[in-house]
Amino acid sequence: MRVIACLLLGFVAMATARPEETEFKLDVVDIKHKQIMILKLLNNIMGPVMYKDIEDIGKNFKIEDNIDMYTRREVVKVFLDNLKFGFLPRGEVFTLHVDRQLKEVVTMFHMLYYAKDFSTFIKTACWMRLYLNEGMFVYALTVAVRHRDDCRGIILPPPYEIYPYYFVRADVIQKAYMLKMKKGLLDNRLCDFYGIKMTDKDVYIIDENVFDRRVYLNDEDRLRYFTEDIDLNTYYYYFHVDYPFWMKDDMTNKLMNRRWELTLYVYQQLLARYYLERLSNGLGDINVLSWNKPIRRGYWPWLMLHNGIQLPVRMNNFVIERDNDKLLTLVMNCEKIITEAILKGYIEINGIRLELTKTDDIEVLGKLIYGTIEKTDLTKIQVDAYRYLLILMKAVIGMNTFTADKYFVVPTILDSYQTALRDPVFYQLQKRLVNLMILFKRRLPSYTHEDLYFPGVKIDNVVVDKLVTYFDDYLMDMTNAVVWNEDELKKTSVDMAFLVRKRRLNHQPFKLSIDILSDKTVDSVVRIFLGPKEDHLGRLLDININRVNFVELDSFLYKLNTGKNTIVRNSIDMHNLVRDRIMTRDLWKKLDGITDMRDMLLKDWRNYHTGFPTRLLLPKGRVGGMKMMLYVIVTPLKLVDNVDISILDVNRKDVVRDFRSTVLLDKMPLGFPFDRQIDIAKFFTPNMKFLDVMIFHKKQVCDMKTRWDRYVLKNYDLVDRTFINDNYFIDVDIDTKIDRNINLFDM
């Protein structure tokens, strides 16, 4: 609670603070000015433009008069043709899974991406902010900022602050509206029941009470603290932004090498991390989704979008609609073709043969599963195949957005990358797809002793601190979920700010120490994995069944010296982890005093857009401890060709870059050595070590639960309402004496 109090004191000081009305100069390319402009473009996205400089730039810019300001004229022509025909109207719900909306938003991205300079980029963005759909604009701008070289170093507001409707329960947003309509005047007892607190500066904190389980449908709902975690869903959303399935290879930058292998690996790691959380809650393996059986586990999102549309509920034992038979047949045929291609070792598309036999061919497999095959033959014919299999599968399960109305759709929880991880069926669906990768890896030979052995190097000892998890509170800014009034728009700041208090999983900081003996000085790669030792029934797991359940905790390059090397890794500094993201209001405040934004990026905002939440590094575990295994392996560095090793220098300031995986610099496959079938007789070498560990969960009292018990269970818990005293079994109103002389038929 001390942490919450400190956050409140800091937030109170900024609740009434308004961003400086800095006039943006288009000829200035300073990173600070760029940052301010992006924040203005994404502030209060569902409302009208409230910054005069953005409005003036947008109204005075004519795209058709500035075609030469884009590097590809054909992109502008396609955009203008779409504009004449009509884009998705403002105020409507945007989803990538509607074919027409996907094409429209890609043309918007192309306009932003192919702008010749930052000035044209900003002018185009201001024009789009004024006239095009809000959801499309946010998506196109986000992807463009992440991929344009002149936008490097810009911090994007978290998606849960831009559009809170995907991250905050509908009842919490309803309470915020009620507060705003009544100008904060609520009954004290009602505020206590709802968990509403007000600070001195009109900042309202509303609890999202996780103990209100009225929408829980099955035992899968025990995992909501994990699947609905805002940082986990942000991680998945930003991964899609960095590696969009629709983006062609000729647009990707040099840091996107091994793009499809990384995509497959991220999905496999999400499944493994989800499985560890299932074990923590006594649940078993992840079932593979079947097209011919009902979906046993339903899900009630309890989310409502800005236009009043509620994300649909899928009840238990949901039967896939037979109206989707054509679509279902298409999905099954695509899966069959890919499976046969893996077994044959190749696939032919329009006469073009693509191999699926070598390690590097996983890039082809990734495109077949999650993207489209784009290959140009001698006649320059573009080949497209298997249109986004994942979208087709989601359409079969959901409301069939694939063939739905061109505009007015009701997206399911699976149709948005900000929400897909919430639904248990997402993991069943992904397991079906990841099994294709596992089948591909099964056809590759197991690693030999020479592949695994590091001559002259031995892991002597591994020591790790006690691993303890717990739940804590977090304040999320949800002010943009409530409509701003006219006075607030004029002064570009709100009179009432709203925060939602969420419960989230966390762990105590820990250190991991590795002693490595080496007979030479050599560059190496250290990989650290965490995996289960037993299944949910307490049975030991076979390594070949269990290898896909290991989560990569850390991976890094290390120069071994001759003799003993002691490596100490702190949990908060492990590779590609991100701490709590800064509130946008706090970022506005920091910008006033920042002289060099790169210092902030290196110190406080490292891995801001790419990092996995450091809080979720460990699964919840159990109160009495959950048995796990830690695996450490050291291998020689086999550096990939034509790579700039300086991108890993944490002290460089000349450029800010994000890099998702250290092991992408190594030629060994992602997930090595657990990515292939293990030959036990050849697997164990001195340069690897298994370690048994226990993960303990520390239970804590939460005021959300005590308040819920006080108000709800007071009237509904029958045990508490039953009156019991000493003569409970003695004083009765009926005559217990039996007269055996009475004829029962005479009574």
Side-chain angles (χ1 to χ4, degrees), residues 213 215-225 228 283 298-300 424:
R213 301 187 176 98
V215 297
Y216 284 21
L217 300 177
N218 49 69
D219 53 1
E220 300 277 353
D221 288 309
R222 299 184 210 167
L223 302 174
R224 283 188 180 235
Y225 68 88
E228 296 181 357
L283 301 177
Y299 180 69
W300 194 318

PDB file of all heavy atoms in Angstrom, residues 213 215-225 228 283 298-300 424:
ATOM      1  N   ARG A 213     -17.052 -12.741  -9.111  1.00  0.00           N
ATOM      2  CA  ARG A 213     -16.922 -13.835 -10.077  1.00  0.00           C
ATOM      3  C   ARG A 213     -18.244 -14.178 -10.752  1.00  0.00           C
ATOM      4  O   ARG A 213     -18.466 -15.326 -11.137  1.00  0.00           O
ATOM      5  CB  ARG A 213     -16.353 -15.072  -9.374  1.00  0.00           C
ATOM      6  CG  ARG A 213     -14.982 -14.844  -8.733  1.00  0.00           C
ATOM      7  CD  ARG A 213     -14.397 -16.141  -8.194  1.00  0.00           C
ATOM      8  NE  ARG A 213     -13.051 -15.952  -7.672  1.00  0.00           N
ATOM      9  CZ  ARG A 213     -12.760 -15.778  -6.392  1.00  0.00           C
ATOM     10  NH1 ARG A 213     -13.744 -15.758  -5.501  1.00  0.00           N
ATOM     11  NH2 ARG A 213     -11.511 -15.627  -5.981  1.00  0.00           N
ATOM     12  N   VAL A 215     -19.296 -13.650 -13.645  1.00  0.00           N
ATOM     13  CA  VAL A 215     -19.215 -14.061 -15.051  1.00  0.00           C
ATOM     14  C   VAL A 215     -18.304 -15.269 -15.241  1.00  0.00           C
ATOM     15  O   VAL A 215     -17.998 -15.641 -16.369  1.00  0.00           O
ATOM     16  CB  VAL A 215     -18.720 -12.893 -15.934  1.00  0.00           C
ATOM     17  CG1 VAL A 215     -19.695 -11.735 -15.897  1.00  0.00           C
ATOM     18  CG2 VAL A 215     -17.326 -12.447 -15.523  1.00  0.00           C
ATOM     19  N   TYR A 216     -17.873 -15.885 -14.152  1.00  0.00           N
ATOM     20  CA  TYR A 216     -17.021 -17.066 -14.277  1.00  0.00           C
ATOM     21  C   TYR A 216     -17.866 -18.250 -14.733  1.00  0.00           C
ATOM     22  O   TYR A 216     -18.935 -18.514 -14.184  1.00  0.00           O
ATOM     23  CB  TYR A 216     -16.349 -17.389 -12.948  1.00  0.00           C
ATOM     24  CG  TYR A 216     -15.184 -16.479 -12.600  1.00  0.00           C
ATOM     25  CD1 TYR A 216     -15.065 -15.221 -13.186  1.00  0.00           C
ATOM     26  CD2 TYR A 216     -14.218 -16.870 -11.689  1.00  0.00           C
ATOM     27  CE1 TYR A 216     -14.014 -14.381 -12.877  1.00  0.00           C
ATOM     28  CE2 TYR A 216     -13.151 -16.032 -11.370  1.00  0.00           C
ATOM     29  CZ  TYR A 216     -13.058 -14.788 -11.962  1.00  0.00           C
ATOM     30  OH  TYR A 216     -12.013 -13.957 -11.655  1.00  0.00           O
ATOM     31  N   LEU A 217     -17.374 -18.965 -15.741  1.00  0.00           N
ATOM     32  CA  LEU A 217     -18.134 -20.062 -16.326  1.00  0.00           C
ATOM     33  C   LEU A 217     -17.527 -21.429 -16.048  1.00  0.00           C
ATOM     34  O   LEU A 217     -18.221 -22.440 -16.126  1.00  0.00           O
ATOM     35  CB  LEU A 217     -18.249 -19.867 -17.844  1.00  0.00           C
ATOM     36  CG  LEU A 217     -18.948 -18.586 -18.318  1.00  0.00           C
ATOM     37  CD1 LEU A 217     -18.922 -18.505 -19.839  1.00  0.00           C
ATOM     38  CD2 LEU A 217     -20.381 -18.536 -17.814  1.00  0.00           C
ATOM     39  N   ASN A 218     -16.223 -21.499 -15.754  1.00  0.00           N
ATOM     40  CA  ASN A 218     -15.573 -22.790 -15.564  1.00  0.00           C
ATOM     41  C   ASN A 218     -14.250 -22.588 -14.834  1.00  0.00           C
ATOM     42  O   ASN A 218     -13.894 -21.461 -14.469  1.00  0.00           O
ATOM     43  CB  ASN A 218     -15.354 -23.493 -16.912  1.00  0.00           C
ATOM     44  CG  ASN A 218     -14.710 -22.568 -17.935  1.00  0.00           C
ATOM     45  OD1 ASN A 218     -13.550 -22.198 -17.795  1.00  0.00           O
ATOM     46  ND2 ASN A 218     -15.472 -22.171 -18.952  1.00  0.00           N
ATOM     47  N   ASP A 219     -13.516 -23.680 -14.635  1.00  0.00           N
ATOM     48  CA  ASP A 219     -12.276 -23.597 -13.868  1.00  0.00           C
ATOM     49  C   ASP A 219     -11.177 -22.831 -14.589  1.00  0.00           C
ATOM     50  O   ASP A 219     -10.192 -22.416 -13.965  1.00  0.00           O
ATOM     51  CB  ASP A 219     -11.782 -25.000 -13.484  1.00  0.00           C
ATOM     52  CG  ASP A 219     -11.660 -25.928 -14.687  1.00  0.00           C
ATOM     53  OD1 ASP A 219     -11.950 -25.476 -15.809  1.00  0.00           O
ATOM     54  OD2 ASP A 219     -11.298 -27.103 -14.499  1.00  0.00           O
ATOM     55  N   GLU A 220     -11.305 -22.624 -15.901  1.00  0.00           N
ATOM     56  CA  GLU A 220     -10.303 -21.838 -16.628  1.00  0.00           C
ATOM     57  C   GLU A 220     -10.263 -20.390 -16.135  1.00  0.00           C
ATOM     58  O   GLU A 220      -9.254 -19.700 -16.299  1.00  0.00           O
ATOM     59  CB  GLU A 220     -10.613 -21.849 -18.130  1.00  0.00           C
ATOM     60  CG  GLU A 220     -10.615 -23.220 -18.779  1.00  0.00           C
ATOM     61  CD  GLU A 220      -9.225 -23.694 -19.153  1.00  0.00           C
ATOM     62  OE1 GLU A 220      -8.288 -22.889 -19.021  1.00  0.00           O
ATOM     63  OE2 GLU A 220      -9.089 -24.858 -19.568  1.00  0.00           O
ATOM     64  N   ASP A 221     -11.360 -19.939 -15.530  1.00  0.00           N
ATOM     65  CA  ASP A 221     -11.409 -18.553 -15.067  1.00  0.00           C
ATOM     66  C   ASP A 221     -10.474 -18.293 -13.896  1.00  0.00           C
ATOM     67  O   ASP A 221     -10.264 -17.137 -13.527  1.00  0.00           O
ATOM     68  CB  ASP A 221     -12.848 -18.187 -14.681  1.00  0.00           C
ATOM     69  CG  ASP A 221     -13.749 -18.045 -15.895  1.00  0.00           C
ATOM     70  OD1 ASP A 221     -13.361 -17.311 -16.816  1.00  0.00           O
ATOM     71  OD2 ASP A 221     -14.817 -18.674 -15.935  1.00  0.00           O
ATOM     72  N   ARG A 222      -9.921 -19.333 -13.311  1.00  0.00           N
ATOM     73  CA  ARG A 222      -8.916 -19.134 -12.261  1.00  0.00           C
ATOM     74  C   ARG A 222      -7.686 -18.408 -12.800  1.00  0.00           C
ATOM     75  O   ARG A 222      -6.920 -17.817 -12.043  1.00  0.00           O
ATOM     76  CB  ARG A 222      -8.453 -20.479 -11.704  1.00  0.00           C
ATOM     77  CG  ARG A 222      -9.519 -21.326 -11.048  1.00  0.00           C
ATOM     78  CD  ARG A 222      -8.858 -22.576 -10.475  1.00  0.00           C
ATOM     79  NE  ARG A 222      -9.764 -23.708 -10.459  1.00  0.00           N
ATOM     80  CZ  ARG A 222      -9.378 -24.958 -10.241  1.00  0.00           C
ATOM     81  NH1 ARG A 222      -8.097 -25.217 -10.029  1.00  0.00           N
ATOM     82  NH2 ARG A 222     -10.250 -25.943 -10.241  1.00  0.00           N
ATOM     83  N   LEU A 223      -7.478 -18.483 -14.107  1.00  0.00           N
ATOM     84  CA  LEU A 223      -6.270 -17.928 -14.717  1.00  0.00           C
ATOM     85  C   LEU A 223      -6.465 -16.507 -15.225  1.00  0.00           C
ATOM     86  O   LEU A 223      -5.589 -15.971 -15.905  1.00  0.00           O
ATOM     87  CB  LEU A 223      -5.829 -18.816 -15.887  1.00  0.00           C
ATOM     88  CG  LEU A 223      -5.542 -20.279 -15.557  1.00  0.00           C
ATOM     89  CD1 LEU A 223      -5.263 -21.067 -16.818  1.00  0.00           C
ATOM     90  CD2 LEU A 223      -4.362 -20.385 -14.610  1.00  0.00           C
ATOM     91  N   ARG A 224      -7.575 -15.879 -14.907  1.00  0.00           N
ATOM     92  CA  ARG A 224      -7.832 -14.537 -15.440  1.00  0.00           C
ATOM     93  C   ARG A 224      -6.764 -13.537 -15.006  1.00  0.00           C
ATOM     94  O   ARG A 224      -6.468 -12.594 -15.742  1.00  0.00           O
ATOM     95  CB  ARG A 224      -9.216 -14.056 -15.007  1.00  0.00           C
ATOM     96  CG  ARG A 224     -10.357 -14.687 -15.804  1.00  0.00           C
ATOM     97  CD  ARG A 224     -11.678 -14.031 -15.474  1.00  0.00           C
ATOM     98  NE  ARG A 224     -12.781 -14.617 -16.231  1.00  0.00           N
ATOM     99  CZ  ARG A 224     -13.623 -13.927 -17.000  1.00  0.00           C
ATOM    100  NH1 ARG A 224     -13.475 -12.621 -17.128  1.00  0.00           N
ATOM    101  NH2 ARG A 224     -14.605 -14.521 -17.634  1.00  0.00           N
ATOM    102  N   TYR A 225      -6.207 -13.710 -13.826  1.00  0.00           N
ATOM    103  CA  TYR A 225      -5.161 -12.786 -13.377  1.00  0.00           C
ATOM    104  C   TYR A 225      -3.975 -12.794 -14.333  1.00  0.00           C
ATOM    105  O   TYR A 225      -3.255 -11.796 -14.465  1.00  0.00           O
ATOM    106  CB  TYR A 225      -4.693 -13.153 -11.965  1.00  0.00           C
ATOM    107  CG  TYR A 225      -3.954 -14.474 -11.882  1.00  0.00           C
ATOM    108  CD1 TYR A 225      -2.578 -14.532 -12.083  1.00  0.00           C
ATOM    109  CD2 TYR A 225      -4.634 -15.662 -11.623  1.00  0.00           C
ATOM    110  CE1 TYR A 225      -1.897 -15.739 -12.026  1.00  0.00           C
ATOM    111  CE2 TYR A 225      -3.968 -16.864 -11.563  1.00  0.00           C
ATOM    112  CZ  TYR A 225      -2.602 -16.903 -11.764  1.00  0.00           C
ATOM    113  OH  TYR A 225      -1.930 -18.099 -11.721  1.00  0.00           O
ATOM    114  N   GLU A 228      -5.623 -11.937 -18.441  1.00  0.00           N
ATOM    115  CA  GLU A 228      -6.140 -10.582 -18.588  1.00  0.00           C
ATOM    116  C   GLU A 228      -5.140  -9.528 -18.120  1.00  0.00           C
ATOM    117  O   GLU A 228      -5.485  -8.349 -18.025  1.00  0.00           O
ATOM    118  CB  GLU A 228      -7.457 -10.438 -17.820  1.00  0.00           C
ATOM    119  CG  GLU A 228      -8.568 -11.326 -18.374  1.00  0.00           C
ATOM    120  CD  GLU A 228      -9.884 -11.164 -17.637  1.00  0.00           C
ATOM    121  OE1 GLU A 228      -9.917 -10.390 -16.650  1.00  0.00           O
ATOM    122  OE2 GLU A 228     -10.877 -11.806 -18.035  1.00  0.00           O
ATOM    123  N   LEU A 283      -4.496 -27.213 -12.868  1.00  0.00           N
ATOM    124  CA  LEU A 283      -5.117 -27.583 -14.137  1.00  0.00           C
ATOM    125  C   LEU A 283      -4.142 -28.396 -14.979  1.00  0.00           C
ATOM    126  O   LEU A 283      -2.926 -28.287 -14.835  1.00  0.00           O
ATOM    127  CB  LEU A 283      -5.558 -26.334 -14.902  1.00  0.00           C
ATOM    128  CG  LEU A 283      -6.561 -25.432 -14.177  1.00  0.00           C
ATOM    129  CD1 LEU A 283      -6.855 -24.192 -15.003  1.00  0.00           C
ATOM    130  CD2 LEU A 283      -7.850 -26.179 -13.871  1.00  0.00           C
ATOM    131  N   GLY A 298     -16.173 -22.158 -22.022  1.00  0.00           N
ATOM    132  CA  GLY A 298     -16.642 -20.873 -22.520  1.00  0.00           C
ATOM    133  C   GLY A 298     -15.855 -19.722 -21.917  1.00  0.00           C
ATOM    134  O   GLY A 298     -14.958 -19.913 -21.088  1.00  0.00           O
ATOM    135  N   TYR A 299     -16.218 -18.518 -22.326  1.00  0.00           N
ATOM    136  CA  TYR A 299     -15.548 -17.330 -21.789  1.00  0.00           C
ATOM    137  C   TYR A 299     -16.491 -16.136 -21.878  1.00  0.00           C
ATOM    138  O   TYR A 299     -17.126 -15.898 -22.910  1.00  0.00           O
ATOM    139  CB  TYR A 299     -14.260 -17.035 -22.560  1.00  0.00           C
ATOM    140  CG  TYR A 299     -13.533 -15.812 -22.045  1.00  0.00           C
ATOM    141  CD1 TYR A 299     -12.917 -15.827 -20.798  1.00  0.00           C
ATOM    142  CD2 TYR A 299     -13.485 -14.640 -22.791  1.00  0.00           C
ATOM    143  CE1 TYR A 299     -12.270 -14.705 -20.308  1.00  0.00           C
ATOM    144  CE2 TYR A 299     -12.833 -13.518 -22.313  1.00  0.00           C
ATOM    145  CZ  TYR A 299     -12.232 -13.554 -21.069  1.00  0.00           C
ATOM    146  OH  TYR A 299     -11.598 -12.439 -20.586  1.00  0.00           O
ATOM    147  N   TRP A 300     -16.579 -15.398 -20.775  1.00  0.00           N
ATOM    148  CA  TRP A 300     -17.404 -14.192 -20.690  1.00  0.00           C
ATOM    149  C   TRP A 300     -16.456 -13.002 -20.522  1.00  0.00           C
ATOM    150  O   TRP A 300     -15.919 -12.777 -19.445  1.00  0.00           O
ATOM    151  CB  TRP A 300     -18.346 -14.292 -19.492  1.00  0.00           C
ATOM    152  CG  TRP A 300     -19.463 -13.289 -19.492  1.00  0.00           C
ATOM    153  CD1 TRP A 300     -19.389 -11.974 -19.825  1.00  0.00           C
ATOM    154  CD2 TRP A 300     -20.832 -13.528 -19.136  1.00  0.00           C
ATOM    155  NE1 TRP A 300     -20.612 -11.364 -19.702  1.00  0.00           N
ATOM    156  CE2 TRP A 300     -21.521 -12.303 -19.278  1.00  0.00           C
ATOM    157  CE3 TRP A 300     -21.533 -14.649 -18.708  1.00  0.00           C
ATOM    158  CZ2 TRP A 300     -22.879 -12.174 -19.000  1.00  0.00           C
ATOM    159  CZ3 TRP A 300     -22.887 -14.523 -18.431  1.00  0.00           C
ATOM    160  CH2 TRP A 300     -23.550 -13.298 -18.583  1.00  0.00           C
ATOM    161  N   PRO A 424      -9.497 -18.599 -23.270  1.00  0.00           N
ATOM    162  CA  PRO A 424      -8.814 -19.905 -23.187  1.00  0.00           C
ATOM    163  C   PRO A 424      -8.718 -20.617 -24.532  1.00  0.00           C
ATOM    164  O   PRO A 424      -7.770 -21.378 -24.764  1.00  0.00           O
ATOM    165  CB  PRO A 424      -9.692 -20.702 -22.211  1.00  0.00           C
ATOM    166  CG  PRO A 424     -10.437 -19.684 -21.424  1.00  0.00           C
ATOM    167  CD  PRO A 424     -10.638 -18.513 -22.341  1.00  0.00           C
TER     168      PRO A 424
END
